[in-house]
Amino acid sequence: MSIEKQISIIKNEIKDKADLVAVSKTRSIQEIQEAYNSGQLKFGENRVQEIVDKQSKLPNNIEWHMIGHLQKNKVKYIAKFINLIHSVDRISLAKEIDKHAKKENRKIDCLIQLKISKEESKFGLQIEDFKNFYESLQNYKNLNVIGLMGMASFTDDNELIDKEFKKIKTIYDDMVLIDSRFKVLSIGMSDDYNIAIENGSNMIRVGSKIFGKRNY
Ligand SMILES: *Cc1c(COP(=O)(O)O)cnc(C)c1O
């Protein structure tokens, strides 16, 4: 099925409950252009070199989202144009984002990535460290925390996924009450965005359901 068709199916499913970030990692300029032509403006990437290259070749009104693990020595390459960094999970990275945002004379919107699954390989901040981490971020005036991101376990156990999303939603709801900047809960991917939306997701990150299976 075409990229355009897939996007319209997903948008129809999620209605206005959530923003759709089209995860375009590994996809060609042409595929992204096709999604863009159908009205899609938010794209997510997980590698700095790739996002920089694509940003330079594609229309200026695209919103670029960094959704993957970010090395602090690479923040400088994206600081000028990045719209939202979903993967802030350590102070050293936050400090670097703040520094480069200041240099560019802007504030960079960020999400704190929480580890909600038990899988070893996943990045993200441990939930028990969240409060301290959030407090420390207040020192970084050019880093604007606007919400949370999480990835559920890679499993077909929907109950487990539901439980993991409920964990992050609880924390998100607490934060909304105390910090007026909080407005994004980024949970849900191709295989679990329906469960995420039932749990209050307002931003989903969908790759393979739009562009087809990735070859890695
Ligand atoms: C790749 C990726 C996605 C999209 O995954 P799909 O299963 O292809 O929808 C979402 N979020 C993150 C952080 C990713 O790395």
Side-chain angles (χ1 to χ4, degrees):
M1 223 182 288
S2 74
I3 290 169
E4 179 176 6
K5 182 80 191 156
Q6 288 303 103
I7 289 176
S8 93
I9 288 171
I10 296 165
K11 286 208 166 138
N12 214 41
E13 261 181 310
I14 65 177
K15 301 271 176 342
D16 56 359
K17 293 182 203 127
D19 280 333
L20 172 62
V21 177
V23 175
S24 50
K25 61 191 185 196
T26 77
R27 311 298 175 172
S28 67
I29 297 289
Q30 199 183 335
E31 287 171 294
I32 299 173
Q33 186 73 53
E34 192 178 332
Y36 174 82
N37 291 346
S38 80
Q40 179 64 29
L41 290 178
K42 294 180 168 71
F43 291 90
E45 292 280 341
N46 67 346
R47 292 182 51 219
V48 167
Q49 209 182 331
E50 204 174 325
I51 199 170
V52 168
D53 179 60
K54 287 172 173 173
Q55 192 270 342
S56 72
K57 293 176 178 160
L58 283 153
N60 260 328
N61 64 339
I62 287 181
E63 260 188 42
W64 293 100
H65 291 226
M66 185 67 205
I67 62 169
H69 183 67
L70 178 57
Q71 285 174 285
K72 59 182 202 291
N73 61 347
K74 295 195 173 161
V75 171
K76 55 178 178 283
Y77 302 114
I78 61 171
K80 205 190 280 292
F81 67 85
I82 201 74
N83 279 90
L84 183 61
I85 299 175
H86 291 230
S87 46
V88 176
D89 61 358
R90 54 207 194 282
I91 291 296
S92 57
L93 174 62
K95 195 173 166 181
E96 198 71 7
I97 293 170
D98 181 63
K99 183 176 104 184
H100 288 285
K102 211 169 280 162
K103 263 191 202 160
E104 299 293 341
N105 201 17
R106 62 178 295 224
K107 288 191 176 195
I108 296 180
D109 286 343
C110 290
L111 306 179
I112 299 172
Q113 182 177 354
L114 289 182
K115 188 173 158 73
I116 54 173
S117 83
K118 295 214 164 59
E119 287 166 18
E120 270 316 310
S121 63
K122 297 268 162 76
F123 294 103
L125 186 75
Q126 298 287 346
I127 283 178
E128 55 268 32
D129 298 331
F130 171 72
K131 260 282 140 77
N132 275 333
F133 184 75
Y134 169 77
E135 296 295 336
S136 315
L137 290 190
Q138 308 313 309
N139 297 325
Y140 303 118
K141 305 293 180 207
N142 291 61
L143 183 159
N144 195 31
V145 196
I146 62 166
L148 303 177
M149 185 271 247
M151 285 168 90
S153 294
F154 185 67
T155 173
D156 29 18
D157 180 350
N158 287 350
E159 264 172 60
L160 177 61
I161 295 172
D162 183 72
K163 215 170 85 187
E164 292 172 348
F165 285 155
K166 282 192 163 58
K167 259 193 283 194
I168 195 169
K169 175 64 157 65
T170 304
I171 299 167
Y172 178 73
D173 284 344
D174 288 345
M175 291 310 299
V176 166
L177 294 177
I178 63 168
D179 188 333
S180 62
R181 296 171 300 170
F182 266 65
K183 58 180 181 190
V184 177
L185 179 58
S186 168
I187 50 173
M189 306 174 21
S190 290
D191 292 329
D192 59 19
Y193 66 81
N194 284 310
I195 307 174
I197 285 177
E198 281 169 25
N199 281 294
S201 171
N202 58 23
M203 186 174 282
I204 61 173
R205 312 175 309 271
V206 178
S208 40
K209 177 132 190 198
I210 294 174
F211 297 104
K213 247 188 144 119
R214 277 182 303 274
N215 304 316
Y216 66 83

Short mmCIF file of all heavy atoms in Angstrom, two decimals, residues 173-207:
data_model
loop_
_atom_site.label_atom_id
_atom_site.label_comp_id
_atom_site.label_asym_id
_atom_site.label_seq_id
_atom_site.Cartn_x
_atom_site.Cartn_y
_atom_site.Cartn_z
N ASP A 173 0.73 12.54 34.37
CA ASP A 173 -0.41 13.25 34.97
C ASP A 173 0.02 14.06 36.20
O ASP A 173 -0.43 15.20 36.39
CB ASP A 173 -1.51 12.26 35.38
CG ASP A 173 -2.29 11.76 34.18
OD1 ASP A 173 -2.20 12.38 33.10
OD2 ASP A 173 -3.00 10.75 34.32
N ASP A 174 0.91 13.49 37.01
CA ASP A 174 1.43 14.23 38.17
C ASP A 174 2.16 15.48 37.72
O ASP A 174 2.03 16.56 38.31
CB ASP A 174 2.42 13.36 38.96
CG ASP A 174 1.73 12.23 39.72
OD1 ASP A 174 0.49 12.29 39.85
OD2 ASP A 174 2.44 11.30 40.16
N MET A 175 2.95 15.35 36.66
CA MET A 175 3.77 16.47 36.18
C MET A 175 2.92 17.59 35.59
O MET A 175 3.22 18.77 35.76
CB MET A 175 4.79 15.98 35.14
CG MET A 175 5.87 15.09 35.71
SD MET A 175 6.68 15.78 37.17
CE MET A 175 7.37 17.27 36.48
N VAL A 176 1.87 17.21 34.88
CA VAL A 176 0.98 18.21 34.28
C VAL A 176 0.43 19.15 35.36
O VAL A 176 0.28 20.35 35.15
CB VAL A 176 -0.16 17.52 33.50
CG1 VAL A 176 -1.26 18.51 33.16
CG2 VAL A 176 0.37 16.87 32.23
N LEU A 177 0.20 18.58 36.53
CA LEU A 177 -0.35 19.39 37.63
C LEU A 177 0.65 20.40 38.19
O LEU A 177 0.25 21.45 38.69
CB LEU A 177 -0.83 18.48 38.76
CG LEU A 177 -2.02 17.57 38.44
CD1 LEU A 177 -2.32 16.67 39.64
CD2 LEU A 177 -3.25 18.40 38.06
N ILE A 178 1.94 20.06 38.12
CA ILE A 178 2.91 20.95 38.76
C ILE A 178 3.76 21.76 37.78
O ILE A 178 4.44 22.69 38.17
CB ILE A 178 3.86 20.18 39.72
CG1 ILE A 178 4.69 19.15 38.97
CG2 ILE A 178 3.08 19.52 40.85
CD1 ILE A 178 5.82 18.58 39.84
N ASP A 179 3.73 21.40 36.50
CA ASP A 179 4.56 22.11 35.53
C ASP A 179 3.74 22.40 34.27
O ASP A 179 3.39 21.49 33.52
CB ASP A 179 5.79 21.26 35.18
CG ASP A 179 6.81 22.01 34.31
OD1 ASP A 179 6.40 22.94 33.57
OD2 ASP A 179 8.01 21.67 34.36
N SER A 180 3.44 23.69 34.07
CA SER A 180 2.52 24.06 32.99
C SER A 180 3.12 23.84 31.60
O SER A 180 2.41 23.91 30.60
CB SER A 180 2.11 25.52 33.15
OG SER A 180 3.27 26.33 33.06
N ARG A 181 4.44 23.57 31.54
CA ARG A 181 5.03 23.31 30.22
C ARG A 181 4.71 21.91 29.72
O ARG A 181 4.81 21.63 28.54
CB ARG A 181 6.56 23.46 30.29
CG ARG A 181 7.03 24.86 30.63
CD ARG A 181 8.53 24.87 30.88
NE ARG A 181 8.90 23.98 31.99
CZ ARG A 181 10.17 23.65 32.31
NH1 ARG A 181 11.17 24.12 31.60
NH2 ARG A 181 10.42 22.85 33.32
N PHE A 182 4.36 21.01 30.64
CA PHE A 182 4.13 19.62 30.25
C PHE A 182 2.90 19.47 29.37
O PHE A 182 1.79 19.80 29.78
CB PHE A 182 4.01 18.72 31.49
CG PHE A 182 5.31 18.10 31.89
CD1 PHE A 182 6.36 18.89 32.32
CD2 PHE A 182 5.51 16.72 31.81
CE1 PHE A 182 7.58 18.32 32.68
CE2 PHE A 182 6.72 16.14 32.16
CZ PHE A 182 7.76 16.94 32.60
N LYS A 183 3.11 18.99 28.14
CA LYS A 183 1.98 18.80 27.23
C LYS A 183 2.16 17.64 26.27
O LYS A 183 1.26 17.35 25.48
CB LYS A 183 1.73 20.09 26.45
CG LYS A 183 2.93 20.55 25.64
CD LYS A 183 2.66 21.83 24.87
CE LYS A 183 3.89 22.21 24.08
NZ LYS A 183 3.82 23.54 23.48
N VAL A 184 3.30 16.94 26.30
CA VAL A 184 3.52 15.85 25.35
C VAL A 184 3.80 14.54 26.09
O VAL A 184 4.70 14.44 26.93
CB VAL A 184 4.71 16.14 24.41
CG1 VAL A 184 4.97 14.95 23.49
CG2 VAL A 184 4.46 17.40 23.58
N LEU A 185 3.00 13.53 25.76
CA LEU A 185 3.27 12.17 26.21
C LEU A 185 3.51 11.32 24.96
O LEU A 185 2.57 10.97 24.24
CB LEU A 185 2.11 11.61 27.04
CG LEU A 185 2.29 10.17 27.54
CD1 LEU A 185 3.53 10.02 28.40
CD2 LEU A 185 1.05 9.69 28.31
N SER A 186 4.79 11.08 24.68
CA SER A 186 5.19 10.38 23.45
C SER A 186 5.33 8.89 23.72
O SER A 186 6.37 8.40 24.13
CB SER A 186 6.51 10.98 22.95
OG SER A 186 7.09 10.19 21.93
N ILE A 187 4.21 8.17 23.53
CA ILE A 187 4.24 6.70 23.64
C ILE A 187 3.44 6.10 22.48
O ILE A 187 2.46 6.69 22.03
CB ILE A 187 3.69 6.18 25.00
CG1 ILE A 187 2.32 6.78 25.35
CG2 ILE A 187 4.69 6.42 26.14
CD1 ILE A 187 1.67 6.17 26.60
N GLY A 188 3.89 4.95 22.03
CA GLY A 188 3.18 4.24 20.96
C GLY A 188 3.96 4.21 19.66
O GLY A 188 4.42 5.25 19.19
N MET A 189 4.15 3.00 19.12
CA MET A 189 4.83 2.78 17.85
C MET A 189 3.91 1.95 16.96
O MET A 189 2.75 1.75 17.29
CB MET A 189 6.17 2.07 18.10
CG MET A 189 7.01 2.82 19.11
SD MET A 189 8.58 2.12 19.71
CE MET A 189 9.09 0.94 18.52
N SER A 190 4.44 1.47 15.83
CA SER A 190 3.57 0.75 14.88
C SER A 190 2.70 -0.33 15.52
O SER A 190 1.52 -0.44 15.21
CB SER A 190 4.42 0.10 13.78
OG SER A 190 4.96 1.10 12.94
N ASP A 191 3.30 -1.12 16.40
CA ASP A 191 2.57 -2.29 16.91
C ASP A 191 1.77 -2.02 18.17
O ASP A 191 1.00 -2.88 18.60
CB ASP A 191 3.55 -3.44 17.19
CG ASP A 191 4.14 -3.97 15.89
OD1 ASP A 191 3.44 -3.93 14.85
OD2 ASP A 191 5.31 -4.41 15.90
N ASP A 192 1.96 -0.86 18.78
CA ASP A 192 1.26 -0.67 20.06
C ASP A 192 0.62 0.72 20.22
O ASP A 192 0.24 1.10 21.33
CB ASP A 192 2.21 -0.97 21.24
CG ASP A 192 3.47 -0.09 21.25
OD1 ASP A 192 3.47 0.97 20.60
OD2 ASP A 192 4.45 -0.46 21.93
N TYR A 193 0.45 1.44 19.11
CA TYR A 193 -0.05 2.82 19.30
C TYR A 193 -1.51 2.86 19.77
O TYR A 193 -1.93 3.81 20.42
CB TYR A 193 0.20 3.72 18.10
CG TYR A 193 -0.53 3.38 16.82
CD1 TYR A 193 -1.85 3.75 16.62
CD2 TYR A 193 0.13 2.70 15.80
CE1 TYR A 193 -2.50 3.45 15.43
CE2 TYR A 193 -0.51 2.40 14.62
CZ TYR A 193 -1.83 2.76 14.44
OH TYR A 193 -2.46 2.46 13.27
N ASN A 194 -2.27 1.81 19.45
CA ASN A 194 -3.65 1.81 19.94
C ASN A 194 -3.71 1.69 21.46
O ASN A 194 -4.49 2.38 22.12
CB ASN A 194 -4.47 0.72 19.26
CG ASN A 194 -4.84 1.13 17.83
OD1 ASN A 194 -5.34 2.22 17.60
ND2 ASN A 194 -4.53 0.27 16.87
N ILE A 195 -2.85 0.82 21.99
CA ILE A 195 -2.78 0.67 23.46
C ILE A 195 -2.28 1.97 24.08
O ILE A 195 -2.74 2.41 25.13
CB ILE A 195 -1.85 -0.50 23.86
CG1 ILE A 195 -2.26 -1.78 23.13
CG2 ILE A 195 -1.86 -0.71 25.37
CD1 ILE A 195 -1.30 -2.95 23.36
N ALA A 196 -1.33 2.61 23.39
CA ALA A 196 -0.78 3.87 23.90
C ALA A 196 -1.85 4.95 23.96
O ALA A 196 -1.96 5.69 24.95
CB ALA A 196 0.39 4.32 23.02
N ILE A 197 -2.65 5.03 22.93
CA ILE A 197 -3.68 6.07 22.90
C ILE A 197 -4.75 5.82 23.95
O ILE A 197 -5.20 6.76 24.62
CB ILE A 197 -4.24 6.22 21.48
CG1 ILE A 197 -3.18 6.94 20.64
CG2 ILE A 197 -5.56 6.98 21.46
CD1 ILE A 197 -3.50 7.13 19.20
N GLU A 198 -5.10 4.55 24.17
CA GLU A 198 -6.02 4.22 25.27
C GLU A 198 -5.44 4.71 26.60
O GLU A 198 -6.18 5.00 27.54
CB GLU A 198 -6.21 2.71 25.39
CG GLU A 198 -7.18 2.12 24.39
CD GLU A 198 -7.11 0.59 24.39
OE1 GLU A 198 -6.72 0.00 25.42
OE2 GLU A 198 -7.44 0.00 23.33
N ASN A 199 -4.12 4.78 26.66
CA ASN A 199 -3.46 5.22 27.90
C ASN A 199 -3.05 6.68 27.88
O ASN A 199 -2.18 7.10 28.64
CB ASN A 199 -2.26 4.32 28.19
CG ASN A 199 -2.67 3.00 28.80
OD1 ASN A 199 -3.17 2.97 29.92
ND2 ASN A 199 -2.49 1.92 28.07
N GLY A 200 -3.65 7.46 26.99
CA GLY A 200 -3.44 8.90 27.06
C GLY A 200 -2.29 9.44 26.22
O GLY A 200 -1.91 10.61 26.36
N SER A 201 -1.74 8.63 25.34
CA SER A 201 -0.69 9.15 24.45
C SER A 201 -1.25 10.31 23.63
O SER A 201 -2.38 10.26 23.14
CB SER A 201 -0.23 8.06 23.48
OG SER A 201 0.61 8.62 22.49
N ASN A 202 -0.43 11.36 23.48
CA ASN A 202 -0.84 12.41 22.54
C ASN A 202 0.20 12.64 21.45
O ASN A 202 0.12 13.60 20.68
CB ASN A 202 -1.22 13.71 23.26
CG ASN A 202 -0.10 14.26 24.11
OD1 ASN A 202 1.07 13.95 23.87
ND2 ASN A 202 -0.45 15.06 25.09
N MET A 203 1.18 11.73 21.38
CA MET A 203 2.15 11.75 20.28
C MET A 203 2.62 10.32 20.03
O MET A 203 3.16 9.68 20.93
CB MET A 203 3.33 12.67 20.61
CG MET A 203 4.30 12.84 19.45
SD MET A 203 5.59 14.07 19.80
CE MET A 203 4.71 15.61 19.54
N ILE A 204 2.38 9.82 18.82
CA ILE A 204 2.84 8.47 18.51
C ILE A 204 3.96 8.54 17.47
O ILE A 204 4.00 9.47 16.65
CB ILE A 204 1.69 7.55 18.02
CG1 ILE A 204 1.04 8.08 16.73
CG2 ILE A 204 0.63 7.42 19.12
CD1 ILE A 204 0.01 7.12 16.12
N ARG A 205 4.87 7.59 17.53
CA ARG A 205 6.02 7.55 16.63
C ARG A 205 5.93 6.29 15.80
O ARG A 205 6.17 5.20 16.29
CB ARG A 205 7.33 7.54 17.44
CG ARG A 205 7.40 8.60 18.56
CD ARG A 205 8.68 8.43 19.38
NE ARG A 205 8.85 7.06 19.85
CZ ARG A 205 8.37 6.58 20.99
NH1 ARG A 205 7.71 7.37 21.82
NH2 ARG A 205 8.56 5.32 21.33
N VAL A 206 5.55 6.46 14.53
CA VAL A 206 5.23 5.28 13.72
C VAL A 206 6.12 5.23 12.48
O VAL A 206 6.17 6.17 11.69
CB VAL A 206 3.74 5.30 13.30
CG1 VAL A 206 3.42 4.11 12.41
CG2 VAL A 206 2.85 5.31 14.54
N GLY A 207 6.84 4.12 12.33
CA GLY A 207 7.72 3.94 11.18
C GLY A 207 7.22 2.89 10.22
O GLY A 207 6.67 3.18 9.17
#
